[in-house]
């Protein structure tokens, strides 16, 4: 038996907090409440159209799908009515009485960061309905579900602490009516001109007719179906803002109309700012899919691959069946053709932008490059994808400048066979990496990667054209050494005497003995110019950065430590001093300390030193000794 009595419910704590902010909000643009209510009405109409296409049984089947807005300036009342899907009593409690906790929390957090943002963000967090309390002192919502035999229900609240639900006695048709009793300071909304301008401003693109006291006021143009030549930039911008709640214009507009072999229209946008959809709601992306102007799915996630998920917009096709279900979409061959075509359009557009306006492309890369890079699995579009990648490099004048692989290849040395890259925390850090010394002296360009994802990209795509990607710490010296030096040494290094050279050989054995299993060998270096020592990965093993990433993502699981090869620079002053010490006493503790220190320093530089304590203790000990000598020398 239906419950006809009134029932009081209390708002949940987080809803109360949210309402409190909205009710007392001093933010201007109270008018957004109307945008939110009309948007909900439009959603409800989309849903009923969808049910109807599926062939579901529907109450009041022949009602026209529309939104009506009325006002009464005597009563300070505005009414928004739709003939949409309506709500049952339970749905009312679930949808209007409760809000997703995560949504309200994230909303409040963003609000505390930027108070002006309320207008732009409220619609994104599933709490749009509550904005009505910015303007209302009381709200009465009457609704009747499309489901057969569901009674009409009424919801009533002053937005303070609780709400009341009861069964409606009057007969109403399917859909929802919202009566908004305006606060004194919001009286202005019970007036024709004000309402009309707000609706035109925010809701012009709603795809159902909106009547203001019987006069239709929106243009309901499906902009994406209009010929490109007839659309002004402002219309695109306006539509984009309507679609995304973004307050800025889009960075890129991609409007496509295709007639054969498959008919579709797509109006796509690339926002200026990344939505960071992964932050609070990973699912907040996708394109709106229409079939013959009827919205089939909001935020469809299969029309574009995930790495292009920064793209917003709508796709509309004549060739898909209207009653297609969301579940079978993916298997539909027409759908996948459309998807391929759109993907390729977006990539072509980016390619053109990169060519014609590199600065705009750089803006794009800065904002969306992080997601775009994840396209390394798109084998179909691999060529376009690679052409769109950008990096910082040793040839760049600063950390911001970007180079493409094409530019890199164009600058390659005559006999260069590989594309070199180095990963590090920043430009300075990579510049100081001892592995780069030989590349500098040979004038070889090295791509600088700052994002760990970049190395996944490199190791996954493996090569560009005929050139393999190679991390500088895994590059084979054989090929590099053959190349000519571009930086000539100022004065040739003094050669070691025969005797010292022999001692140097034995010193290396000694160092290997000290380091034990941690290294495979200690070698004389051909690549080092300014540093005393470095660690090398034996050919064809993972680069050290990759090992580090795996280690981080595998936390807790022990990774077999890769043995490294240590190289020392015979011409470095420190190594020459070591040779002298070694000749006097092969077991001098200075040799062990210095060897350990060189090893730890090399690990430290590449960011893989796990425990800095030993290094610091040793360093302090050595500084103490050397300072004592220094004092002695000064005293004499
Ligand atoms: P959102 O629209 O982002 O889901 P809202 O706070 O605007 O968040 O609305 C909450 C929910 O209330 C909607 O998802 C919908 O289920 C329901 N709702 C709101 N207005 C209507 C309406 N006019 N007709 C049917 N359902 C509605
Ligand atoms: Mg809403």
């Amino acid at each position: 038996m239906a419950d006809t009595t009134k029932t009081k419910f209390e708002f949940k704590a987080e809803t109360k907090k949210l309402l409190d902010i909205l009710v007392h909000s001093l933010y201007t643009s109270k008018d957004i409440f109307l945008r939110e209510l009309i948007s909900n009405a439009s959603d409800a109409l989309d849903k009923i159209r969808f049910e109807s296409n599926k062939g579901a049984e529907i109450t009041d089947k022949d009602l026209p799908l529309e939104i009506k807005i009325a006002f009464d300036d005597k009563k300070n009342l505005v009414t928004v009515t739709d003939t949409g899907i309506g709500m049952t009593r339970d749905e009312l409690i679930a949808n209007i009485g409760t809000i997703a906790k995560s949504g309200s929390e994230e909303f409040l957090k963003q609000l505390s960061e930027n108070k002006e943002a309320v207008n732009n963000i409220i619609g994104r967090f599933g709490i749009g309905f509550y904005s009505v309390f910015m303007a209302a002192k009381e709200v009465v919502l009457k609704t009747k579900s499309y489901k057969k035999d569901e009674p009409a229900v009424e919801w009533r609240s002053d937005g303070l602490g609780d709400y009341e639900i009861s069964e409606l006695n009057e007969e109403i048709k399917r859909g929802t009516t919202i009566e908004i009793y305006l606060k004194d300071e919001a009286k202005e909304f019970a007036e024709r001109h004000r309402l009309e301008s707000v609706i035109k401003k925010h809701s012009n693109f709603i795809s159902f007719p909106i009547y203001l006291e019987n006069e239709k006021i929106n243009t309901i143009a499906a902009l994406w179906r209009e010929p490109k030549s007839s659309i002004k930039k402002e219309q695109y911008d306006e539509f984009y803002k309507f679609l995304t709640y973004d307050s800025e214009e889009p960075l890129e507009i991609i409007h496509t109309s295709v007639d054969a072999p498959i008919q579709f229209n797509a109006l796509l946008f690339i926002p200026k700012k990344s939505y960071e959809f992964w932050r609070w709601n990973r699912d907040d992306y996708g394109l709106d899919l229409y079939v013959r102007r009827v919205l089939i799915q909001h935020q469809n996630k299969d029309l574009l691959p995930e790495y292009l998920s920064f793209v917003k917009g709508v796709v509309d096709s004549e060739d898909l069946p209207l009653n297609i279900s969301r579940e079978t979409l993916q298997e539909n061959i027409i759908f996948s053709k459309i998807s391929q075509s759109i993907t390729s359009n977006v990539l072509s557009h980016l390619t053109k932008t990169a060519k014609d306006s590199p600065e705009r492309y750089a803006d794009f890369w800065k904002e969306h490059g992080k997601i775009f890079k994840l396209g390394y699995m798109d084998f179909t579009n691999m060529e376009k994808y690679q052409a769109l990648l950008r990096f910082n490099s040793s040839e760049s004048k600063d950390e911001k400048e970007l180079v493409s692989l094409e530019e890199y290849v164009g600058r390659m040395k005559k006999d260069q066979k590989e594309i070199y890259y180095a990963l590090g925390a920043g430009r300075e850090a990579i510049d100081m990496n001892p592995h780069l010394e030989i590349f500098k002296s040979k004038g070889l360009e090295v791509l600088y990667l700052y994002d760990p994802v970049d190395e996944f990209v490199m190791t996954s795509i493996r090569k560009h054209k005929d050139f393999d990607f190679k991390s500088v710490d895994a590059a084979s010296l054989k090929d590099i050494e053959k190349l000519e030096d571009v930086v000539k040494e100022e004065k040739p290094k003094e050669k070691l005497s025969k005797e010292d050279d022999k001692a140097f050989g034995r010193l290396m054995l000694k160092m290997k003995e000290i380091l034990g299993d941690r290294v495979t060998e200690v070698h004389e270096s051909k690549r080092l110019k300014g540093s005393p020592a470095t660690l090398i990965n034996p050919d064809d093993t993972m680069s050290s950065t990759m090992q580090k990433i795996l280690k981080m993502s595998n936390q807790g699981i022990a990774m077999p430590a890769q043995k490294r090869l240590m190289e020392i620079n015979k011409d470095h002053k420190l190594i020459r001093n070591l040779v002298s010490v070694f000749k006097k006493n092969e077991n001098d503790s200075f040799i062990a300390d210095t060897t350990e220190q060189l090893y730890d320093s090399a690990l430290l530089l590449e960011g893989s030193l796990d425990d800095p304590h030993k290094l610091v203790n040793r360093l302090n000990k050595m500084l103490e000794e050397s300072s004592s000598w220094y004092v002695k020398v000064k005293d004499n």
Side-chain angles (χ1 to χ4, degrees):
M1 197 197 84
D3 176 11
T4 50
T5 55
K6 291 183 176 164
T7 319
K8 256 201 165 109
F9 296 85
E10 222 181 304
F11 283 120
K12 292 247 169 66
E14 59 272 8
T15 314
K16 271 191 203 165
K17 199 159 136 200
L18 179 74
L19 281 166
D20 190 56
I21 290 179
L22 291 175
V23 170
H24 299 109
S25 99
L26 301 171
Y27 312 117
T28 49
S29 343
K30 289 191 190 309
D31 60 1
I32 59 145
F33 82 89
L34 205 59
R35 174 188 71 190
E36 293 304 324
L37 296 185
I38 292 175
S39 143
N40 286 348
S42 168
D43 289 348
L45 289 162
D46 274 325
K47 286 176 193 160
I48 198 68
R49 195 151 61 175
F50 188 74
E51 289 302 326
S52 163
N53 286 335
K54 271 200 332 204
E57 210 188 324
I58 285 169
T59 301
D60 297 325
K61 196 165 174 46
D62 298 326
L63 276 182
L65 302 184
E66 63 193 18
I67 299 167
K68 281 193 164 144
I69 295 169
F71 60 91
D72 182 334
D73 55 6
K74 306 263 156 31
K75 291 188 190 152
N76 288 336
L77 170 67
V78 174
T79 318
V80 178
T81 304
D82 66 68
T83 50
I85 199 163
M87 282 176 274
T88 65
R89 188 177 192 277
D90 289 346
E91 284 165 352
L92 201 46
I93 295 171
N95 299 341
I96 302 281
T98 338
I99 49 177
K101 193 156 183 275
S102 60
S104 68
E105 270 175 5
E106 183 61 23
F107 174 73
L108 294 172
K109 194 173 134 250
Q110 298 232 347
L111 204 56
S112 67
E113 284 163 16
N114 178 6
K115 294 237 179 290
E116 317 288 291
V118 66
N119 300 338
N120 298 321
I121 64 178
I122 191 160
R124 284 195 201 156
F125 295 95
I127 51 174
F129 176 79
Y130 293 97
S131 66
V132 70
F133 289 107
M134 291 167 78
K137 59 178 185 228
E138 185 171 34
V139 173
V140 180
L141 183 153
K142 296 169 180 171
T143 184
K144 184 167 164 62
S145 167
Y146 77 102
K147 293 174 189 157
K148 286 276 179 225
D149 302 326
E150 283 289 345
V153 268
E154 180 185 283
W155 180 101
R156 181 185 283 273
S157 176
D158 57 9
L160 294 176
D162 47 29
Y163 62 93
E164 208 173 77
I165 290 188
S166 56
E167 197 168 299
L168 251 187
N169 292 323
E170 52 187 300
E171 262 304 308
I172 62 165
K173 295 260 192 246
R174 183 198 74 221
T176 303
T177 294
I178 298 169
E179 297 168 5
I180 303 140
Y181 293 89
L182 297 164
K183 296 180 194 176
D184 279 348
E185 64 267 30
K187 278 207 293 235
E188 57 186 282
F189 291 107
E191 196 262 321
R192 164 173 283 279
H193 287 294
R194 187 75 174 105
L195 285 171
E196 186 172 337
S197 78
V198 175
I199 298 165
K200 286 221 157 111
K201 178 169 156 211
H202 292 305
S203 309
N204 205 22
F205 292 101
I206 292 287
S207 53
F208 299 93
I210 303 176
Y211 294 96
L212 178 57
E213 310 253 289
N214 295 326
E215 189 195 331
K216 195 176 114 192
I217 49 172
N218 61 330
T219 41
I220 27 170
L223 197 65
W224 56 90
R225 287 181 158 241
E226 308 280 308
K228 270 198 249 184
S229 55
S230 73
I231 307 176
K232 294 199 200 70
K233 166 91 166 66
E234 295 78 61
Q235 285 173 288
Y236 280 129
D237 290 349
E238 201 194 333
F239 180 69
Y240 166 78
K241 290 178 184 174
F242 163 77
L243 193 74
T244 59
Y245 290 106
D246 200 339
S247 55
E248 286 188 286
E249 284 101 61
L251 184 69
E252 300 294 327
I253 301 166
I254 311 168
H255 190 180
T256 338
S257 302
V258 174
D259 284 321
I262 289 164
Q263 192 287 334
F264 74 87
N265 295 293
L267 179 50
L268 309 177
F269 303 92
I270 301 179
K272 278 202 177 126
K273 291 261 140 52
S274 158
Y275 272 53
E276 294 185 274
F277 63 86
W278 57 87
R279 262 185 63 197
W280 87 278
N281 181 0
R282 269 193 141 273
D283 282 340
D284 187 15
Y285 69 97
L287 302 179
D288 290 350
L289 176 66
Y290 288 76
V291 173
R292 289 167 237 173
R293 289 172 192 245
V294 175
L295 182 67
I296 297 296
Q297 194 182 12
H298 179 53
Q299 297 196 323
N300 176 290
K301 306 216 167 12
D302 303 309
L303 278 162
L304 283 177
E306 201 170 332
Y307 75 99
L308 299 179
S309 59
F310 49 82
V311 177
K312 311 274 153 188
V314 302
V315 175
D316 189 350
S317 173
E318 293 281 329
D319 293 342
L320 285 166
L322 251 181
N323 61 353
I324 192 163
S325 82
R326 291 165 198 181
E327 292 71 33
T328 56
L329 260 179
Q330 247 179 305
E331 291 141 34
N332 185 292
I333 193 128
I334 297 172
F335 178 84
S336 59
K337 290 244 164 78
I338 294 176
S339 150
Q340 280 161 23
S341 175
I342 295 171
T343 306
S344 148
N345 277 344
V346 171
L347 294 174
S348 302
H349 181 92
L350 289 173
T351 308
K352 191 168 169 349
T353 310
K355 187 165 161 278
D356 299 345
S357 358
E359 273 155 38
R360 239 177 47 224
Y361 189 74
D363 289 343
F364 159 78
W365 187 258
K366 187 169 144 265
E367 218 41 57
H368 305 292
K370 226 183 158 68
I371 304 179
F372 181 85
K373 283 181 218 164
L374 303 176
Y376 58 80
M377 299 289 274
D378 188 352
F379 304 110
T380 325
N381 296 296
M382 191 39 75
E383 212 172 304
K384 279 184 181 169
Y385 165 79
Q386 289 199 9
L388 287 166
L389 288 174
R390 291 294 178 274
F391 304 90
N392 196 228
S393 101
S394 52
E395 293 291 304
S396 312
K397 61 178 188 309
D398 57 27
E399 189 147 338
K400 290 209 185 83
E401 195 174 303
L402 297 171
V403 307
S404 64
L405 292 172
E406 195 189 347
E407 285 167 295
Y408 182 102
V409 169
R411 287 196 286 252
M412 274 168 83
K413 293 277 171 246
K414 196 164 129 279
D415 293 315
Q416 186 180 344
K417 300 211 172 55
E418 292 166 324
I419 297 177
Y420 301 108
Y421 67 86
L423 191 81
R427 193 169 172 83
E428 250 176 73
I430 299 181
D431 266 339
M432 286 186 324
N433 182 339
H435 290 291
L436 260 82
E437 290 172 9
I438 182 134
F439 293 88
K440 284 181 193 150
S441 70
K442 300 287 181 189
L444 293 170
E445 180 168 7
V446 175
L447 300 176
Y448 284 11
L449 318 184
Y450 308 124
D451 183 351
V453 161
D454 291 334
E455 186 152 9
F456 277 109
V457 172
M458 293 308 200
T459 43
S460 312
I461 63 181
R462 309 258 294 275
K463 49 160 55 182
H464 174 68
K465 305 241 160 78
D466 289 333
F467 309 107
D468 285 339
F469 293 116
K470 203 74 180 180
S471 169
V472 291
D473 60 353
S476 138
L477 268 188
K478 280 197 281 342
D479 302 327
I480 299 176
E481 268 176 349
K482 280 186 252 161
L483 302 170
E484 209 180 313
D485 279 335
V486 291
V487 184
K488 293 270 179 266
E489 310 238 355
E490 283 140 32
K491 49 177 191 229
K493 288 272 155 32
E494 230 174 276
K495 282 230 161 171
L496 284 184
S497 67
K498 250 206 181 115
E499 190 198 343
D500 283 356
D501 212 37
K502 271 199 188 137
F504 176 71
R506 278 185 291 125
L507 171 65
M508 289 195 290
L509 292 175
K510 179 79 193 174
M511 288 172 87
K512 156 71 186 146
E513 190 189 309
I514 293 164
L515 293 171
D517 274 350
R518 285 173 285 173
V519 295
T520 52
E521 251 177 296
V522 177
H523 254 183
E524 177 185 345
S525 179
K526 292 276 191 294
R527 70 183 89 207
L528 293 176
K529 304 287 164 195
S531 311
T534 192
L535 292 171
I536 306 289
N537 285 307
D539 268 352
D540 290 329
T541 58
M542 256 186 278
S543 82
S544 38
T545 16
M546 200 57 168
Q547 293 173 41
K548 204 168 69 189
I549 292 167
L550 287 181
K551 201 159 136 195
M552 283 187 316
S553 54
N554 249 357
Q555 272 166 358
I557 304 165
M559 289 266 299
Q562 282 216 35
K563 277 194 198 169
R564 318 282 297 280
L565 195 144
M566 189 176 198
E567 285 192 0
I568 57 174
N569 180 356
K570 190 157 83 171
D571 295 330
H572 196 277
K573 184 84 176 133
L574 174 57
I575 302 297
R576 296 217 165 172
N577 287 344
L578 267 189
V579 172
S580 306
V581 175
F582 183 78
K583 273 166 58 189
K584 295 212 170 74
N585 174 7
E586 301 200 354
N587 295 317
D588 195 312
S589 69
F590 182 74
I591 292 169
D593 281 346
T594 307
T595 303
E596 292 284 356
Q597 195 67 21
L598 287 172
Y599 178 79
D600 278 359
S601 301
L603 289 179
L604 183 68
L605 269 183
E606 62 179 38
S608 48
L609 182 71
D610 290 332
D611 179 10
H613 290 97
K614 278 191 189 154
L615 177 138
V616 171
N617 285 340
R618 210 183 302 114
L619 191 62
N620 286 341
K621 188 181 121 194
M622 293 170 108
L623 281 173
E624 190 188 313
E625 283 171 9
S626 60
S627 59
S628 304
W629 291 323
Y630 187 71
V631 171
K632 255 189 230 155
V633 172
K634 281 271 157 179
D635 283 352
N636 291 334

